C-alpha cells in the first residue's frame, strides 16, 4: 500500500544482522537514494558501526554518497548500523548501504 503520509526523509534508523566471512578491508557506501539516483546528503558526519568496530567520515556539502573503510576480522552474527548526522543535530540512518570487500 505504499509509504504514504511519512516525512520526505524521515529521521529513522535501523540495524542489519550480518556476518563478516573473511578478514580484510571493507568499503561501506552510504546513500539516501539508490546508487544511480542523484540526491544530496545533508552535510555533516557519517558513521558506520559493525559489531564493536566503528568508523566516521565527514560528509561533503555536495555529495550523494559517502564511503567509510573499515578493517574487519571474521565474526559471528553482529549488528550493522549507519548514521548520517547533520550539523543541526538531526540524525537518520542511511537508507541505502552497500558493502564491498577491498582486500585482505
Amino acid at each position: 500500500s505504499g509509504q504514504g503520509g511519512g516525512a520526505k526523509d524521515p529521521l529513522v534508523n535501523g540495524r542489519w544482522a550480518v556476518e563478516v566471512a573473511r578478514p580484510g578491508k571493507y568499503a561501506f557506501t552510504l546513500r539516501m537514494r539508490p546508487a544511480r539516483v542523484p540526491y544530496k546528503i545533508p552535510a555533516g558526519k557519517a558513521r558506520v558501526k559493525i559489531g564493536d568496530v566503528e568508523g566516521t567520515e565527514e560528509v561533503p556539502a555536495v555529495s550523494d554518497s559517502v564511503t567509510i573503510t573499515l578493517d574487519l576480522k571474521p565474526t559471528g552474527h553482529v549488528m550493522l548500523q549507519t548514521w548520517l548526522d547533520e550539523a543541526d543535530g538531526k540524525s537518520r540512518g542511511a537508507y541505502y548501504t552497500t558493502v564491498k570487500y577491498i582486500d585482505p
Side-chain angles (χ1 to χ4, degrees):
S1 68
Q3 300 177 5
K8 181 178 177 188
D9 290 321
L11 299 174
V12 297
N13 203 328
R15 298 181 297 166
W16 296 274
V18 298
E19 185 175 339
V20 179
R22 58 184 170 166
K25 288 184 172 45
Y26 290 82
F28 295 79
T29 301
L30 285 55
R31 293 184 172 86
M32 297 284 290
R33 298 293 185 269
R36 288 167 292 288
V37 178
Y39 189 85
K40 302 302 175 225
I41 298 173
K45 284 193 191 270
R47 294 184 290 145
V48 169
K49 185 174 183 186
I50 180 166
D52 58 1
V53 179
E54 190 168 349
T56 305
E57 287 289 336
E58 293 291 326
V59 178
V62 293
S63 181
D64 61 2
S65 70
V66 61
T67 299
I68 298 172
T69 302
L70 297 177
D71 195 359
L72 301 175
K73 294 179 172 40
T75 66
H77 286 93
V78 293
M79 299 309 291
L80 166 65
Q81 189 166 6
T82 65
W83 292 266
L84 295 172
D85 299 329
E86 298 180 34
D88 65 5
K90 292 179 185 168
S91 180
R92 62 177 58 83
Y95 300 149
Y96 295 86
T97 301
T98 55
V99 183
K100 182 177 180 183
Y101 180 75
I102 299 174
D103 61 47

